[in-house]
Amino acid sequence: MGPLKLAIIGGGPSSFYVASRLLSLFPQNDTLTSPLKIHIYDRLWAPHGLVRYGVAPDHPEVKNCTHKFDQVAQDPRLHFFGNIQVGPQTPPVIPHALPISLSALKSHYTHLLFSTGCNIPTLHPTLPPSDRVIPALSLVQWYTQHPSRPPPPPLHKTEHVSVIGQGNVALDVARMLLTPPAILEKYDVPSPVLDVLHRSAVRHVSIIGRRGLLQAAFTTKELRELTTLEGTFMTPLAPEILAPLSPPAPSNAKLTRQQSRILQLLQKGSPGSPTATSELPHGIKTKSWSLDFFRSPTGLTADGQYLTLAHTMLDERARAVPTGVTSLLRTDLTVTSLGHHADPSAAYFDPALGHLRTDRGRVLDTAGHTLRRVYASGWAATGARGVLAATMIDAYAVADVILADHFSNGRGEVAKLESGAYSKEDALVADDVDMVSIPKEVEEGVKAGRVVQYDQWKKIDAEELRRGAEMGKERERMGWEEAHQFLTSMGAW
Amino acid sequence: MTTHPSGSHIKLHFRDSKGELIKTVEANEGDDILSIAHEHDIDLEGACEGSVACSTCHIILSPKHYDLLPEPEDDENDMLDMAFGLCETSRLGCQVKLTRELDDMTATLPAATRNMFVDGLSHPAGKKPTHH
């Protein structure tokens, strides 16, 4: 059986779960002669993708999955190379990342896996980004101090925020804007972010969706966190929003278990109703949020102070259609939270799907034929949906296909393909490789102290935790310059 | 009926989604199913390590034993809402602690967790997966 030397583009949870499964199914042997090697490349200097840069800071338990990734990285057959941009950059650009073309990888690897995620926010056609309209991704990357360094939102002069979209990212954003900073202080929220939150004037967040409760994409846990958030209350929903959904209205489709539980939560509302003065003792003003269903934005007024909203209703196929009624909503900042798609300049991006096209994890070319030994996992293959459990299940399934192909014949091909044929395009990978080589650009980058490998990441990880402990918080994050400086001072390059 | 030594071991059967027995193990009162699975090399994942922040340790219990357990709390139910292949007797393995009356219980691993794309993939290297 030939060697399996795999380059994984992207070092988030999908990559680590694929690597984990491959490593566990091959016996370890002598690492130099092992038929399995895995190299993970990430354009960010730190590994773990959305687990580090997407999960909300007040959800630290989700990040426990990195303990397993640490163990995977200890396998000598795996190497991580951070701060390397494979292929063309899409905005937002990471200026300090080392660029390398996909073709530079070819002669060093027999297999390729794209686990590049969906990093481009889907925008609203009537709300182009401006100083008053930002994608939710910018906020998330701001409060996680993502290396693309989006600017902080002007929260000191923001009282009302409109979030367009009703998924979990929308609720995360609302929760981060409304949670008392004193509560956030002990989590992994960077100090510069806490400074901005301490000066925030935000009083109300409207979470706006063009359809109704049954079509909202948020899940129970995130909703529950908002309804029980200290110092805030939920604007009670109009009875007509809830009424058509309660039994015994005969026109309902049967509610799923999740929908029933969400309905119960919304009927209960927030503990404690708003007082006439909306003030607690000590002059602390309560904050509020609302779920504004059946509203679709049509733009901002010329002065930027109002969102114009079309009122909607559902047609017989549960699609939103305008009723003809419109209204204005006074707002200071609009955050669009409408999902994400993959990078359109990426190899084999399918514009109809918004991500790569695959057959069971095998990447398809533009003619719909299967590329040999080129795979995709996670959001790059499925689109931007699914939490950690779904990511793990998908990653294991793709790893199984990689292995099934590898053991089927000498060239990693199977007899029967769903797509019908293997691609006639030039291969992205080689048949015979040196098992320990890396592209010379990467070698040079390693020597020049521009590439972060896993043991170097672990030193930074330990230092971030140490600084956090000194400040009574979970972690204090470093940016690239700081991290680079720290590794230099430790002689760790 | 076997008499147990004073170590009071409780019998737990792990089955795969097709109903095949993976292993029967013995554990102690108070042990949770996820920890037991890991101790005995059963392929049950626990991404969030038992903190009710994911659904990767989702298991399906034998009905009569499910009924003996206290109701799940809100946070466990919130995670179960999103589990694949949810059944009437689904629980998160990390939240189910053994008691004497649960002796002889079966925990079945849900179908979606294995081999979605490749049917019947046996481990080609000839060894079962090792845990990292």
Side-chain angles (χ1 to χ4, degrees), chain A residues 53 56-57 181 191 209 212 241 271 327 478:
Chain A
Y53 292 109
S191 297
I241 298 279
S327 58
M478 289 190 251

Side-chain angles (χ1 to χ4, degrees), chain B residues 15-56:
Chain B
R15 288 188 181 271
D16 69 18
S17 59
K18 295 187 172 72
E20 299 292 319
L21 181 72
I22 301 171
K23 203 184 263 194
T24 296
V25 306
E26 292 197 332
N28 296 316
E29 191 151 13
D31 290 348
D32 71 272
I33 291 182
L34 179 62
S35 304
I36 297 167
H38 284 177
E39 196 185 314
H40 293 274
D41 274 330
I42 308 280
D43 252 346
L44 186 64
E45 292 284 346
C48 75
E49 299 177 354
S51 51
V52 204
C54 76
S55 60
T56 59

Side-chain angles (χ1 to χ4, degrees), chain A residues 91-244:
Chain A
V93 164
I94 310 219
H96 52 77
L98 192 68
I100 176 174
S101 66
L102 197 53
S103 56
L105 295 179
K106 174 172 173 172
S107 62
H108 299 273
Y109 299 98
T110 59
H111 290 66
L112 189 60
L113 171 69
F114 292 106
S115 302
T116 39
C118 282
N119 57 308
I120 314 290
T122 300
L123 301 179
H124 195 283
T126 72
L127 297 170
S130 69
D131 59 348
R132 287 191 167 262
V133 180
I134 59 175
L137 186 63
S138 292
L139 272 183
V140 174
Q141 291 182 337
W142 163 68
Y143 64 62
T144 59
Q145 301 272 272
H146 185 272
S148 65
R149 306 225 296 222
L155 298 184
H156 58 287
K157 52 178 186 170
T158 302
E159 289 192 1
H160 183 282
V161 179
S162 300
V163 180
I164 315 299
Q166 293 178 328
N168 283 338
V169 176
L171 298 202
D172 272 358
V173 162
R175 195 177 69 252
M176 287 299 292
L177 292 176
L178 292 169
T179 303
I183 291 179
L184 290 176
E185 265 168 11
K186 63 180 190 290
Y187 290 108
D188 175 11
V189 182
S191 297
V193 173
L194 282 171
D195 286 344
V196 172
L197 291 173
H198 273 296
R199 295 194 305 262
S200 168
V202 172
R203 296 285 309 279
H204 184 91
V205 179
S206 296
I207 305 169
I208 299 168
R210 67 183 170 188
R211 296 193 294 171
L213 175 53
L214 293 185
Q215 292 79 35
F218 55 71
T219 55
T220 331
K221 170 185 167 165
E222 282 72 11
L223 181 66
R224 186 186 304 283
E225 286 171 331
L226 262 184
T227 58
T228 55
L229 184 57
E230 189 180 305
T232 68
F233 66 87
M234 178 184 83
T235 305
L237 288 169
E240 58 265 22
I241 298 279
L242 294 172

Side-chain angles (χ1 to χ4, degrees), chain A residues 17 24-25 27 61 64-65 67-68 71 219-221 224 257-258 261 360 389 392-393 396-397 400-401 407, chain B residues 45 47-49 51 55 74 77-82 84 86 112 115-117 121 123-125 129-130 132:
Chain A
Y17 282 130
S24 72
L25 290 177
E61 308 85 4
N64 284 345
C65 60
H67 303 149
K68 176 169 184 135
Q71 288 180 307
T219 55
T220 331
K221 170 185 167 165
R224 186 186 304 283
R257 178 192 136 114
Q258 179 156 249
R261 297 184 71 245
R360 265 163 270 237
M392 174 192 287
I393 289 172
Y396 287 175
D400 286 354
V401 172
F407 287 104
Chain B
E45 292 284 346
C48 75
E49 299 177 354
S51 51
S55 60
D74 277 342
N77 270 327
D78 289 349
M79 289 301 111
L80 285 171
D81 279 353
M82 295 191 284
F84 288 99
L86 190 70
N115 296 334
M116 257 172 58
F117 291 153
L121 174 75
H123 305 306
T130 54
H132 286 276

Side-chain angles (χ1 to χ4, degrees), chain B residues 57-113:
Chain B
C57 68
H58 169 215
I59 38 130
I60 298 156
L61 298 178
S62 32
K64 78 167 189 208
H65 298 102
Y66 176 87
D67 288 337
L68 295 172
L69 289 167
E71 287 284 312
E73 302 282 344
D74 277 342
D75 56 354
E76 182 182 347
N77 270 327
D78 289 349
M79 289 301 111
L80 285 171
D81 279 353
M82 295 191 284
F84 288 99
L86 190 70
C87 300
E88 293 288 326
T89 60
S90 285
R91 293 294 303 259
L92 294 185
C94 65
Q95 298 303 296
V96 177
K97 292 188 169 39
L98 292 190
T99 60
R100 200 99 20 100
E101 61 180 355
L102 296 175
D103 187 39
D104 220 30
M105 176 164 67
T106 294
T108 301
L109 273 49
T113 54

